[in-house]
């Protein structure tokens, strides 16, 4: 039903090409041109992109710092209304954004629909949250005293976003930073900058003052080093690898100027624990969805399935059947379940891991790869891993590792999961409430999912984010997210002072 009205508009958009460039102050800046290729059709050009240069960063930081006081003084309700207008515009441009998700980032049409909806949700949710939480708060105190808490922007914020949610996370970060009163330098992922450019154009159309946001597509290492060591930077909101988060943290620690905050959402080594009371059909449905949706390219994706040995034969039989049914193919077809990986490098890295495990004779199941595909496709695959131990590296793609455990080894399983150091999502399938409560007590993760899939956290419903190597918090799409984007000021006033402020004002008026 959602498709009918979209179909035609989408077809037209899928034939287009786009142009993007660095953008600031309502103007396109000069850049060096790059061709943008489609990850699932290597002959196809999606557009051209101008990369910004690190030499442009100081002037951009000057401009953003200069625009900060005025933006920070803009009433919260006005900043929130801007996000609400953006949400409406995103919905109105759904076909184009969907086409860009598909052509530039290789997302299936269903993933693209979910992505646009999530972007809209982030805008509306942070707008509502800002109206509710970022207003002046009056605190209790003795009579004769007034104590107030004010929330203000911190200054210039850098938002660094990943290619796997090129619209939702890109805009989620920016929406939070802006509504909290910061000016923003947005650095989109190299692989997904065309859609970022369109999102910024829609923000301007919604009424964002052009001096408040800069878009700098380009090389993350050189641009990032330039702005993360800039004295005017007040904070970074980053989603990406744990390694890059550490690098950013080191640069922020050494930079002159204010102590900058880092809000980081990073990797995961996510597990699912299945005990002998679980329903095998439900387990397999949720495991397949969690491991292979978006070709496994989500930080929330399931990587290691721990299954109790009594139930393992049935689960593995159903798993092989379900994986045989998955359809790998071009993501612009509605029948496709699994699209391509983002680029050739991601594919080569993952294939090295897959080939090694195949060489060790660990293959359990593999989805057939149709012939004639010309892109960065990798077929979903499942491997058996011997022994309960921490699998430390995150493999970003459609690879599932399966470990059997015996009754009585549950605590050992949770210990192995904790020992990875990551703590993002964990799935539990059990109809034994004691087991679920025990895992809940022992597991160090940010998002625990019980008897369901473990991806697709809904904004405002399942606040999302991990601990340890998986991120700093606070949770995106949750009630506390905006608080790290603001600085707090407390004003304490002696209202009982001789004559009070009102009397002084009256004197001044004489
Ligand atoms: C990511 O993959 O970078 O719950 C994080 C989910 C998404 C994950 C986003 N919110 O599947």
């Amino acid at each position: 039903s959602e498709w009918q009205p979209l179909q035609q508009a989408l077809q037209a958009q899928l034939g287009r090409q786009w142009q993007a460039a660095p953008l600031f102050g309502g103007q396109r800046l000069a850049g060096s041109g790059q061709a943008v290729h489609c990850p699932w059709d290597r002959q196809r050009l999606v557009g051209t992109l101008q990369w910004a240069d690190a030499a442009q960063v100081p002037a951009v930081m000057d401009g953003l710092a200069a625009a900060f006081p005025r933006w920070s003084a803009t009433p919260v309700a006005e900043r929130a209304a801007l996000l609400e207008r953006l949400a409406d515009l995103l919905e109105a441009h759904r076909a184009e954004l969907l086409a860009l998700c598909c052509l530039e980032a290789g997302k299936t049409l269903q993933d693209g629909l979910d992505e646009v909806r999530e972007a809209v949700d982030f805008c509306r949710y942070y707008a509502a949250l800002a109206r509710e939480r970022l207003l002046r708060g009056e605190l209790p105190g003795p009579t004769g005293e007034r104590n107030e808490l004010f929330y203000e922007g911190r200054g210039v914020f850098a938002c660094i976003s990943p290619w796997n949610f090129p619209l939702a996370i890109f805009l989620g970060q920016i929406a939070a930073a802006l509504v909290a009163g910061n000016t923003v330098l947005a650095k989109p992922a190299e692989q997904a900058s065309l859609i970022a450019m369109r999102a910024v154009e829609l923000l301007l159309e919604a009424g964002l003052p052009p001096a408040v946001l800069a878009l700098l597509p380009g090389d993350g290492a050189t641009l990032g080093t330039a702005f993360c060591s800039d004295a005017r930077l007040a904070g970074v909101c980053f989603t990406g690898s744990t390694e890059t988060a550490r690098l950013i943290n080191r640069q922020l620690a050494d930079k002159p100027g204010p102590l900058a905050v880092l809000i980081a959402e990073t990797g995961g080594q996510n597990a699912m624990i299945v005990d002998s009371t679980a329903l095998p059909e439900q387990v397999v449905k949720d495991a397949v969805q969690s491991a292979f949706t978006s070709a496994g390219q989500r930080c929330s994706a399931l990587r290691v399935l721990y299954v109790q040995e009594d139930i393992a034969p049935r689960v593995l039989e159903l798993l092989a059947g379900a994986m045989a049914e998955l359809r790998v193919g071009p993501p612009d077809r509605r029948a496709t379940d699994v699209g391509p990986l983002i680029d050739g490098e991601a594919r080569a890295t993952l294939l090295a891991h897959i080939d090694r495990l195949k060489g060790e004779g660990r293959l359990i199941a593999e989805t057939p790869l149709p012939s004639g595909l010309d892109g960065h496709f990798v077929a979903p695959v499942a491997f058996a891993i011997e022994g309960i131990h921490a699998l430390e590296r995150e493999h970003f793609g459609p690879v599932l590792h399966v470990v059997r455990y015996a009754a009585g080894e549950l605590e050992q399983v949770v210990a192995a999961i904790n020992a990875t150091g990551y703590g993002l999502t964990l799935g539990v399938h059990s109809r034994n409430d004691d087991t679920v409560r025990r895992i809940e007590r022992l597991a160090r993760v940010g998002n625990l999912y019980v008897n369901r899939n473990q991806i697709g956290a809904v904004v405002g419903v399942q606040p999302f984010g991990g601990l340890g190597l998986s991120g700093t918090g606070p949770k995106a799409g949750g009630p506390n997210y905006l608080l790290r984007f603001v600085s707090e000021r407390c004003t304490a006033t002696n209202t009982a002072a001789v004559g009070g402020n009102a009397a002084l004002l009256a004197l001044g008026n004489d």
Side-chain angles (χ1 to χ4, degrees):
S1 59
E2 215 173 346
W3 284 106
Q4 290 312 327
L6 256 179
Q7 204 79 282
Q8 231 183 344
L10 180 62
Q11 283 315 315
Q13 294 290 341
L14 283 169
R16 276 186 60 188
Q17 290 198 1
W18 287 263
Q19 249 92 52
L23 200 67
F24 186 46
Q27 286 179 356
R28 292 187 174 209
L29 311 180
S32 61
Q34 312 270 330
V36 179
H37 290 279
C38 173
W40 45 275
D41 177 355
R42 282 183 284 188
Q43 309 308 317
R44 185 162 175 168
L45 204 63
V46 188
T48 54
L49 171 69
Q50 306 292 321
W51 276 23
D53 189 275
Q56 292 167 314
V57 168
V60 165
M61 292 299 289
D62 278 343
L64 291 169
F68 170 68
R70 178 129 182 242
W71 179 245
S72 173
T74 306
V76 169
E78 228 173 274
R79 301 197 302 250
L82 174 98
L83 294 189
E84 284 155 353
R85 288 196 298 276
L86 174 62
D88 295 342
L89 284 170
L90 291 170
E91 283 178 330
H93 288 80
R94 210 156 59 131
E96 182 184 7
L97 297 170
L98 198 51
L100 276 165
C101 279
C102 183
L103 290 169
E104 188 182 24
K107 289 205 146 193
T108 63
L109 296 179
Q110 185 57 53
D111 271 353
L113 270 185
D114 292 346
E115 170 112 24
V116 178
R117 187 178 308 121
E118 190 174 4
V120 168
D121 287 351
F122 273 133
C123 292
R124 297 218 170 106
Y125 180 74
Y126 292 143
L129 196 62
R131 290 180 195 277
E132 188 187 306
R133 295 288 291 275
L134 297 188
L135 297 177
R136 180 186 72 100
E138 184 111 19
L139 302 171
T143 43
E145 211 176 278
R146 186 176 63 244
N147 297 292
E148 298 156 293
L149 199 54
F150 295 91
Y151 300 101
E152 288 159 354
R154 286 180 175 271
V156 183
F157 237 87
C159 293
I160 309 173
S161 52
W163 49 263
N164 68 339
F165 285 89
L167 186 70
I169 293 183
F170 175 75
L171 276 180
Q173 296 178 342
I174 291 173
L178 287 177
V179 83
N182 303 284
T183 55
V184 171
L185 187 162
K187 162 60 190 83
E190 285 90 330
Q191 299 92 332
S193 297
L194 297 176
I195 192 168
M197 170 90 178
R198 285 300 292 132
V200 168
E201 286 170 347
L202 294 178
L203 252 172
L204 294 170
E205 196 179 325
L208 183 77
V212 165
L213 176 80
L215 177 75
L216 294 189
D219 177 57
T222 52
L223 290 173
T225 299
F227 59 75
C228 287
S229 42
D230 192 292
R232 289 153 293 191
L233 193 72
V236 174
C237 183
F238 168 75
T239 300
S241 74
T242 304
E243 220 182 351
T244 305
R246 281 198 201 282
L247 179 68
I248 293 170
N249 223 347
R250 276 199 295 273
Q251 292 178 338
L252 294 183
D254 287 339
K255 84 175 190 67
L259 300 175
V261 295
L262 173 62
I263 302 165
E265 210 261 274
T266 55
Q269 183 59 293
N270 312 305
M272 178 186 278
I273 304 175
V274 177
D275 83 358
S276 60
T277 69
L279 293 172
E281 286 79 5
Q282 181 78 43
V283 168
V284 168
K285 177 172 169 281
D286 293 335
V288 164
Q289 220 181 78
S290 301
F292 305 130
T293 300
S294 311
Q297 299 172 105
R298 292 192 185 213
C299 61
S300 52
L302 170 63
R303 312 284 180 207
V304 192
L305 178 67
Y306 290 91
V307 51
Q308 197 175 328
E309 59 190 4
D310 333 44
I311 200 182
R314 180 72 184 135
V315 167
L316 294 186
E317 184 193 337
L318 289 172
L319 179 68
M323 287 177 64
E325 292 293 307
L326 288 175
R327 273 158 301 190
V328 181
D332 66 335
R333 301 205 191 134
R334 279 190 57 197
T336 295
D337 299 306
V338 180
L341 296 198
I342 189 67
D343 56 26
E345 194 186 325
R347 179 169 178 272
T349 306
L350 196 65
L351 284 182
H353 176 64
I354 289 174
D355 289 345
R356 189 173 61 77
L357 292 182
K358 276 186 177 169
E360 292 172 11
R362 301 188 176 283
L363 188 68
I364 301 176
E366 189 168 21
T367 298
L369 194 63
S371 58
L373 293 174
D374 177 35
H376 312 299
F377 292 93
V378 172
V381 59
F383 293 109
I385 302 294
E386 294 311 318
I388 303 168
H389 57 270
L391 292 167
E392 272 151 26
R393 250 184 54 48
E394 179 187 40
H395 298 282
F396 216 67
V399 180
L400 181 62
H401 309 82
V402 183
V403 182
R404 295 176 186 229
Y405 71 94
E409 289 181 330
L410 184 68
E411 300 209 350
Q412 215 181 312
V413 168
V414 180
I417 293 167
N418 287 344
T420 64
Y422 289 101
L424 197 46
T425 72
L426 172 63
V428 178
H429 273 269
S430 169
R431 285 183 289 164
N432 181 339
D433 215 44
D434 287 344
T435 305
V436 176
R437 297 286 86 86
R438 232 165 90 212
I439 293 170
E440 193 173 32
R441 235 186 5 260
L442 296 174
R444 301 245 322 123
V445 295
N447 289 76
L448 182 67
Y449 292 97
V450 181
N451 295 327
R452 49 155 288 168
N453 67 343
Q454 64 197 82
I455 57 164
V458 175
V459 172
V461 179
Q462 289 112 14
F464 182 82
L467 6 138
L469 295 175
S470 295
T472 59
K475 283 178 159 18
N480 304 314
Y481 192 59
L482 295 182
L483 296 180
R484 282 200 83 204
F485 288 87
V486 291
S487 52
E488 297 173 299
R489 179 163 56 84
C490 177
T491 303
T493 307
N494 177 5
T495 53
V498 197
N501 286 345
L504 277 177
L505 276 176
L507 271 178
N509 281 345
D510 265 358

